[in-house]
Amino acid sequence: MAKRIFITGFWHETNTFAQTQTGMDDFRAYQYAEGDALFAAFADTNTEVGGVIDAAMELDLNLIPGLFAGAVPSGLITGEAYEFLLDRTLELLAAAGEIDGVLVHLHGAAVAVGTPEADADFLSAIRRQLPLTPIVATFDLHANLTQGLIAGADALVGYDTYPHNDMGERGREAAHLLHRMLWSDKRPEKVFRKLPFAPPPQVQGTSAEPAAGIMANMHDMETWGGIWSASIAWGFPYADVAHLGVGVLVQGDDIHHVNRIADDLALSIWHQRGNFDAGLIGAEEAVRSAIAAAEGPVILVDVADNAGGGAPGDGTTILSELLDQSAVGAVVVLCDPGAVRTAKSLGTGAMFSGNVGGRADDLHGPPIPLVGEIVFQEPVTYQRRGDYMTGQQINLGDVAVIQSGGVTVLLTEYKAMPFDADHLAAAGIAAETLKIIVVKSAIAWQAHFRAFAKAEIYVDTPGVCASNLKRFAYTRLTRDIYPIADDGVWPAGNS
Ligand SMILES: [Zn+2]
């Protein structure tokens, strides 16, 4: 008899500095599927659920769908939304009948109003309902891991890559770990180490040093006898929570062996903390050097307005410089439903004259006056082609493209994460032919644009995802964390 595996997911990276809260509308707008719709939404995608679906066929597991809810990274989850998702999940679990195992797909940096460790709370509620059933959870590389989260599952698997192009593979790994537990009746020892270290996402890329070497070392340890799995969660620093920071998780047969490996990994990260430095250049100088570059595209990275990290995606600091310096062949994507409505009422070919961007809050630059021709105006949906979340359907709502001199501004109704050039292609813009491309992303953009970009400049812009963590007023940290403080405290007297 095929084992019956309940599969469910709750995925949100919460930027507690963002000024708008995340409600059920935001989950429904991005990812919400229950029952068989969950399989329809994720089959053949490079996501955890997609990977589990593949593995279930090989391993002869009978998947019983719960729900999967994910929202674009944004502000605190409302108490109502969190309660609804948890209650609905438990309801579906209760209705699922006899269950042999559970797979739970989490982010690990979800914060709800009144529930700072939302992922741990979610997982432990499932555990309470099924105290003896094996549970395997997955988490994002940006998780702020806690002991509570680790305790809620029998084994856990985190993404190993950033940009995250191994989501499908990690889903498969989670299914295999669960299968191993079901057939061997063994559970791994789990050892967790938390570091007082929170590098900004910009320097967490796993294909560049120092993270690349650390991950390679970890993968080597995973091949050692008796080790089931190891993960490093590099943390999401835009969360004012006590459990902020890098976490190391090692799982295997022998507790002493697992302890030693976890300590070695944690210590090697700690000793390299000074190498995770974000080199940033001011907007004026960044735009000047992009214009002066011999060939393009030059990528200007607006990391502080990272729409994939909870920022509104409507920051105007770089756009304002591009217009002031009369850049040519430059493109900026902004989420601005109001300006899109105006453009829609005017129609393609008409002249647009009005303010764009800077509306969601006052942290990402002011609205900027823009005058130009409306060269495109249509609703846009597309399927993600880059190797990150491949196959996912993205809805930008109504889209308008305004051509103002040499600067092209693509305005979207809905906030979406512009990680790849599909945003541009869907509106008739060929990214390869541009001189300057502004991306609102920390690292995820690299998966697509590095293939043809000639240069990249990380720009020191203001916003809720700024790489300079000293810009933020943390109030809930319980110890010094590097580089927010000039040094952290771990392990006592041994750093
Ligand atoms: Zn992430």
Side-chain angles (χ1 to χ4, degrees), residues 138-334:
T138 59
F139 56 84
D140 192 282
L141 177 133
H142 295 110
N144 289 316
L145 290 181
T146 65
Q147 191 60 55
L149 179 59
I150 304 300
D154 297 286
L156 302 96
V157 179
Y159 305 166
D160 291 335
T161 57
Y162 181 33
H164 310 314
N165 48 28
D166 67 331
M167 296 162 85
E169 235 178 277
R170 297 287 78 75
R172 297 173 65 88
E173 185 182 353
H176 278 269
L177 284 178
L178 184 60
H179 186 260
R180 180 171 175 175
M181 280 190 263
L182 287 168
W183 293 103
S184 69
D185 227 15
K186 271 173 60 178
R187 315 271 166 107
E189 299 285 352
K190 293 172 291 175
V191 172
F192 172 57
R193 296 283 182 263
K194 188 84 186 179
L195 286 83
F197 174 40
Q202 182 196 326
V203 293
Q204 296 178 359
T206 52
S207 56
E209 295 302 340
I214 293 168
M215 296 310 277
N217 188 21
M218 182 194 82
H219 287 309
D220 181 45
M221 291 168 169
E222 275 183 307
T223 66
W224 296 358
I227 298 303
W228 288 39
S229 174
S231 301
I232 298 170
W234 290 92
F236 182 67
Y238 309 116
D240 186 10
V241 289
H243 55 282
L244 176 64
V246 176
V248 170
L249 173 68
V250 183
Q251 300 163 110
D253 292 325
D254 176 68
I255 185 71
H256 302 292
H257 189 206
V258 174
N259 260 321
R260 223 173 19 249
I261 290 181
D263 283 335
D264 280 358
L265 262 177
L267 204 62
S268 81
I269 297 170
W270 181 246
H271 284 150
Q272 294 184 62
R273 66 194 179 281
N275 300 339
F276 288 81
D277 271 339
L280 296 167
I281 292 178
E284 191 190 337
E285 189 190 338
V287 168
R288 205 176 326 113
S289 15
I291 290 173
E295 43 175 4
V298 176
I299 308 293
L300 294 182
V301 186
D302 188 354
V303 61
D305 189 27
N306 176 5
D314 76 344
T316 54
T317 310
I318 299 179
L319 171 61
S320 163
E321 275 301 329
L322 290 167
L323 293 169
D324 282 358
Q325 297 189 34
S326 305
V328 173
V331 71
V332 181
V333 178
L334 292 181

Side-chain angles (χ1 to χ4, degrees), residues 416-435:
M417 303 180 273
F419 291 150
D420 49 54
D422 290 340
H423 269 63
L424 306 175
I429 301 166
E432 291 86 345
T433 65
L434 294 166
K435 179 73 186 294

Side-chain angles (χ1 to χ4, degrees), residues 7 17 30 70 95-96 102 126 134 219-220 238-239 259 265 293 321 328 364 441 478:
I7 177 169
F17 296 104
Y30 187 59
V102 179
I126 293 174
H219 287 309
D220 181 45
Y238 309 116
N259 260 321
L265 262 177
E321 275 301 329
V328 173
H364 300 83
S441 159
T478 52

